[in-house]
Amino acid sequence: MRYGGHTSCVCVRVKGGPPLIFDMGTGARLLGKQLAQDEVTKVYVAMTHTHMDHMMGLPYFDPIFNKDCRVHLGVPAPSSEEARERVGKYLNGIFHPLSIDDLGSNLRFYGVPAGQTFQLGPYTVTTLRLVHPGGTLGYRVTVGDRSICYLTDTGPLAHPGEGLVVGEEPTQLEQGLVEFVAGADVMIMDTSFDQDEYHKHLSWGHAYPEYAVAVGVAAGVEEVVLFHHSPDATDDALDEVREKWATHTSPRVSLAKEGRTVSLEG
């Protein structure tokens, strides 16, 4: 596979600081091994939501079993107790052999509210409520003058035939999204469907490339990364998507790929 097959897991790193990880999909297993090799002693994790495909890597994430490492796990929830309870619905000894009590004191839980800004070490983090069954959060992370936005498992913030994607003024929700991502260096956004597939799955809470690019144009972001590819997407189909957008320059458009690194240095 040229693009990979893991579920969502994206890591942000700054020199001299702990990593900040978005979601604990299956990609977290290999990432955890790399962080263990790097002898990382603190990890921040920010969950968008707790659907299983975004949680599956957590019990295989090596740092939570390292007595010298602390993993701070933020979950969309009103309190740390509720955050722990939501994760515990998956790690309950039934859906996985481990229960949440088996993870020990290395894993600390925090409730993450929508529409708030807070500090995690060197990272300034802002959240936004998005559109997905059961609810989900988008994140903007800023370090110095660099910003990354992570918007996955969200449908468009407009009904079909209105808003940005048809060249109209943004809806009220879209305006909030545009302000949230404005001027970001990188905007990683869910594009699970193509446009025709989206119209057949309006309630599924996933978007498509034309919508992500329309948001990026309106917000003046530097690069849009198409993310959360459909499980049915072949490498050849994704190559076609990449080629379609290869000449788009404002913003640049690229595809997420397992192991890909984007550097914002300089």
Side-chain angles (χ1 to χ4, degrees):
M1 291 187 292
R2 296 192 297 276
Y3 291 88
H6 284 298
T7 60
S8 303
C9 183
V10 172
C11 182
V12 179
R13 302 193 73 171
V14 298
K15 197 170 295 183
L20 169 59
I21 302 170
F22 295 118
D23 286 328
M24 284 273 107
T26 57
R29 187 182 73 86
L30 292 178
L31 174 59
K33 293 186 178 302
Q34 180 61 58
L35 296 180
Q37 289 179 8
D38 294 344
E39 298 183 342
V40 167
T41 57
K42 178 186 284 187
V43 179
Y44 297 118
V45 179
M47 300 295 299
T48 57
H49 62 309
T50 53
H51 284 170
M52 195 172 290
D53 56 321
H54 290 249
M55 293 285 298
M56 294 172 71
L58 180 61
Y60 303 98
F61 186 61
D62 282 357
I64 64 175
F65 301 104
N66 177 1
K67 64 181 178 58
D68 297 319
C69 185
R70 292 292 178 267
V71 179
H72 301 264
L73 180 62
V75 178
S79 66
S80 57
E81 293 78 14
E82 178 67 17
R84 189 178 192 279
E85 181 179 331
R86 291 183 184 185
V87 174
K89 289 179 180 178
Y90 167 51
L91 292 178
N92 60 2
I94 298 173
F95 298 121
H96 187 275
L98 292 179
S99 74
I100 199 165
D101 292 329
D102 295 325
L103 301 184
S105 61
N106 292 348
L107 184 59
R108 301 178 181 181
F109 294 89
Y110 301 87
V112 180
Q116 300 291 318
T117 297
F118 51 92
Q119 201 71 28
L120 293 176
Y123 308 103
T124 301
V125 182
T126 305
T127 60
L128 179 73
R129 192 179 307 281
L130 298 175
V131 180
H132 193 68
T136 189
L137 288 183
Y139 290 90
R140 180 180 181 125
V141 179
T142 301
V143 178
D145 61 353
R146 302 293 186 179
S147 292
I148 299 171
C149 295
Y150 179 72
L151 313 168
T152 194
D153 288 60
T154 184
L157 276 69
H159 296 298
E162 66 178 26
L164 294 172
V165 80
V166 293
E168 295 181 352
E169 290 296 310
T171 66
Q172 183 175 356
L173 289 177
E174 284 183 326
Q175 184 59 40
L177 176 60
V178 168
E179 293 172 1
F180 182 76
V181 303
D185 294 282
V186 176
M187 182 185 78
I188 302 167
M189 189 166 185
D190 184 304
T191 54
S192 294
F193 296 129
D194 65 31
Q195 198 162 6
D196 290 336
E197 289 171 335
Y198 165 71
H199 286 101
K200 297 174 183 176
H201 303 88
L202 295 177
S203 65
W204 285 36
H206 296 286
Y208 53 95
E210 288 80 0
Y211 188 76
V213 174
V215 172
V217 169
V221 306
E222 293 293 325
E223 181 174 0
V224 173
V225 178
L226 309 182
F227 184 74
H228 203 294
H229 309 311
S230 168
D232 295 325
T234 64
D235 283 338
D236 289 343
L238 292 174
D239 282 343
E240 290 180 9
V241 175
R242 178 180 55 80
E243 291 167 7
K244 175 179 178 178
W245 296 101
T247 59
H248 202 283
T249 57
S250 296
R252 302 186 305 278
V253 181
S254 62
L255 272 68
K257 185 177 183 179
E258 181 180 338
R260 180 185 172 191
T261 298
V262 177
S263 175
L264 298 181
E265 290 184 332

